[in-house]
Amino acid sequence: DLGVPGLPIAIGELGVGGMATVYLAVQESLDREVALKVMSVSLVSDETFCKRFVKEGRIAARLTHPNLLTVYDIGQYEDTYYMASEYLSAGSVRQRMAQGLTPTQTLKIIKDIASGLQFAHENGFVHRDVKPGNLLFRRDGTCVLADFGIAKGLHSNTIATKIGTSIGTPHYMSPEQAR
């Protein structure tokens, strides 16, 4: 329990990233499991990270599509920034790659994610962090794109993307970005 009134009750940790920890939680008001993303306390003092976290939730909540993660709620309670989204229990592409994927499975993943990305682009957003760990599965096998933490509006002039700066996961960047 994170001790935040009205916030889903955390059951266990699902993963830790650069900005946040994700917990399996129960949203008691609706009696459903959710993924509860809680921003790292060490980042709360940095207004840029706080704005980015809230922006991620708002972008994802506006993009309702079968191949994009569904966000239920985002908010702040004192120094705790959180986002509640659907809990996808069937693992990630990263996990399945370790087990091995057939060409047919790979093609299905590509088609699902391309559909989600097309929808995001048609609605004015670029994800900018497509990688195996951000591709999750629903129980029915549908692949879903998650983590809009560094997404950008197509018509935005975000400072993080000015000439001479880069943003993303280094192992998944193009050589041009890495340079």
Side-chain angles (χ1 to χ4, degrees):
D1 181 9
L2 299 172
V4 179
L7 200 64
I9 306 299
I11 298 171
E13 189 177 290
L14 294 173
V16 179
M19 281 181 58
T21 301
V22 180
Y23 299 94
L24 173 59
V26 174
Q27 184 178 11
E28 291 184 315
S29 62
L30 296 174
D31 191 30
R32 68 176 168 192
E33 290 184 324
V34 296
L36 183 65
K37 186 174 190 176
V38 179
M39 190 171 79
S40 173
V41 176
S42 65
L43 298 175
V44 171
S45 62
D46 187 330
E47 188 177 333
T48 301
F49 282 105
C50 295
K51 285 181 180 179
R52 186 182 296 169
F53 188 86
V54 171
K55 181 180 111 179
E56 172 189 359
R58 288 182 177 159
I59 289 171
R62 287 177 19 195
L63 298 173
T64 303
H65 186 273
N67 301 108
L68 300 176
L69 184 73
T70 302
V71 171
Y72 301 134
D73 189 24
I74 186 163
Q76 173 189 0
Y77 178 78
E78 296 177 356
D79 286 344
T80 303
Y81 285 82
Y82 63 89
M83 180 182 350
S85 64
E86 68 180 308
Y87 169 55
L88 301 175
S89 61
S92 69
V93 168
R94 181 176 55 191
Q95 292 166 324
R96 293 195 183 179
M97 285 171 58
Q99 301 165 356
L101 290 165
T102 68
T104 302
Q105 291 169 322
T106 303
L107 184 57
K108 169 83 167 79
I109 292 166
I110 291 168
K111 288 172 79 174
D112 283 352
I113 298 308
S115 179
L117 287 170
Q118 178 181 358
F119 182 81
H121 293 182
E122 288 171 351
N123 285 277
F125 296 99
V126 179
H127 186 275
R128 302 195 307 175
D129 200 19
V130 178
K131 60 185 180 183
N134 286 343
L135 308 179
L136 307 174
F137 292 96
R138 291 198 174 98
R139 288 184 186 151
D140 69 1
T142 302
C143 194
V144 175
L145 180 59
D147 197 347
F148 277 77
I150 60 173
K152 180 182 184 297
L154 291 173
H155 305 293
S156 168
N157 290 323
T158 306
I159 193 137
T161 57
K162 296 288 186 198
I163 294 172
T165 65
S166 66
I167 190 164
T169 304
H171 287 98
Y172 297 97
M173 287 181 171
S174 67
E176 300 81 37
Q177 287 176 292
R179 275 193 301 239

